[in-house]
Amino acid sequence: MIKLDIVITILNNIFGGDSMEVKLITYTPEPEKIIAAAAKLCYSESGIETLLDGLTEEKTMKFVEMLSGMGHESPIEHISFTFGIEGVSRSFLAQMTRHRIASFSVQSQRYVKSNEFHYVTPPEIKAVPDAKKTYDDFMDNAINTYNNLADILEEKHYKNFIQNGLSELSAKSKAEKKAIEDARFVLPNASETKMVVTMNARSLLNFFRLRCCNRAQWEIKAVADEMLKLCCQIAPSIFKNAGPSCVKGVCTEGKMTCGKINEVKAFYEELKSEK
């Protein structure tokens, strides 16, 4: 795998005072060539040992374009991209994990204590001072309640472990972990989380069709846009037509359409050209 030192941080004014970071950690080397080799096997008499022979840049692009024109997407499942994502909410996590053809590793609230509580503030709440104050007050109360519960439960569990013959060091460690397992129930959906996500390119195309749409929830759309930008820097031919369905000319939202197809097309044309 190739490591890519590309980190994109979305500025605070987009994320209501919070920052989100998306990093492309690794990806399949020579992704377009791998896809071309898979397509070559499907449509020629080539054997496995000669799949990569003669795959010049021109021929590689020809195979990729042919697959795109035919709608034959299975060969692109052979390449994958792994992203690191942080500064997102547990609400985002619930939506992200609905994409089942993917692999996820998420920071655990069961084993990681929220000593430094960070949370995501929706832009609409940040824009109204009274709403933001109410929101921030609630978050402060949530973390105070979490800490109080964790302390109470930890003391109880510590005593029980000591009575059962554990050493002080072991009892303290086990008591804290057991305490936060239950204390986490008071943490809100706004709680910040971190995750590593791996998807193959076909799953990513589907993800972008759904989550780059203007009707997608603002947080997952912002993440999807950054993921698409990074993918285009690595495999521009594969993701040439990626984005919401209207990028290819047809909106699939029916009466729920945003009605801004031309603006959306222009936005993604510019996004894909960014370096």
Side-chain angles (χ1 to χ4, degrees):
M1 291 292 189
I2 297 174
K3 292 185 177 179
L4 183 70
D5 190 20
I6 296 177
V7 180
I8 294 179
T9 301
I10 295 182
L11 300 178
N12 289 349
N13 63 340
I14 299 178
F15 270 83
D18 310 283
S19 62
M20 181 202 76
E21 189 172 79
V22 178
K23 180 177 181 179
L24 180 55
I25 299 174
T26 190
Y27 58 91
T28 303
E30 298 186 283
E32 293 171 333
K33 195 169 186 178
I34 294 298
I35 290 173
K40 184 178 178 183
L41 181 67
C42 292
Y43 297 105
S44 74
E45 296 181 355
S46 297
I48 294 175
E49 293 182 356
T50 60
L51 276 181
L52 296 175
D53 294 350
L55 275 181
T56 62
E57 183 176 345
E58 181 181 355
K59 289 184 177 180
T60 294
M61 292 304 102
K62 184 176 180 181
F63 272 116
V64 172
E65 290 172 3
M66 178 188 72
L67 293 174
S68 178
M70 297 172 60
H72 185 186
E73 295 185 338
S74 62
I76 67 175
E77 293 179 15
H78 294 293
I79 67 168
S80 64
F81 296 76
T82 298
F83 302 88
I85 302 170
E86 63 180 35
V88 291
S89 69
R90 303 292 290 196
S91 289
F92 167 87
L93 173 63
Q95 296 182 80
M96 189 68 173
T97 51
R98 290 174 184 167
H99 295 272
R100 292 180 290 276
I101 305 179
S103 300
F104 304 97
S105 296
V106 183
Q107 187 176 70
S108 173
Q109 287 184 335
R110 183 182 182 190
Y111 296 109
V112 180
K113 188 174 183 180
S114 296
N115 292 317
E116 294 185 13
F117 182 60
H118 299 288
Y119 56 88
V120 176
T121 304
E124 294 294 335
I125 291 179
K126 184 189 178 187
V128 182
D130 288 344
K132 186 176 186 304
K133 183 181 185 307
T134 299
Y135 188 81
D136 290 340
D137 288 345
F138 178 86
M139 295 301 161
D140 288 341
N141 182 63
I143 190 58
N144 288 334
T145 301
Y146 170 84
N147 286 328
N148 288 336
L149 282 172
D151 290 343
I152 293 169
L153 293 172
E154 183 176 345
E155 182 179 356
K156 171 194 171 185
H157 297 318
Y158 177 79
K159 290 179 180 178
N160 289 338
F161 286 134
I162 290 293
Q163 289 175 359
N164 289 332
L166 269 66
S167 67
E168 290 186 4
L169 185 62
S170 180
K172 180 174 177 56
S173 177
K174 288 181 177 292
E176 180 182 272
K177 290 179 180 179
K178 190 171 178 62
I180 63 176
E181 180 176 346
D182 291 326
R184 63 179 170 153
F185 275 72
V186 301
L187 293 176
N189 278 334
S191 301
E192 180 188 306
T193 193
K194 304 172 184 178
M195 64 194 313
V196 172
V197 180
T198 300
M199 291 188 190
N200 67 53
R202 189 179 190 181
S203 292
L204 278 168
L205 289 176
N206 178 64
F207 175 73
F208 295 143
R209 276 194 292 269
L210 297 173
R211 302 303 187 173
C212 289
C213 176
N214 271 355
R215 294 198 62 244
Q217 188 263 354
W218 63 268
E219 191 177 17
I220 198 167
K221 172 173 166 48
V223 172
D225 286 345
E226 298 308 312
M227 290 169 64
L228 175 55
K229 185 189 300 183
L230 291 170
C231 287
C232 286
Q233 292 174 13
I234 302 304
S237 296
I238 297 168
F239 295 98
K240 180 180 178 180
N241 295 316
S245 58
C246 63
V247 166
K248 297 179 70 173
V250 179
C251 175
T252 58
E253 296 299 309
K255 293 181 179 180
M256 303 298 287
T257 181
C258 71
K260 300 178 180 179
I261 291 180
N262 290 334
E263 291 93 327
V264 172
K265 287 182 177 180
F267 173 83
Y268 283 101
E269 183 176 348
E270 181 177 353
L271 179 143
K272 294 173 187 178
S273 64
E274 292 182 22
K275 300 298 183 182

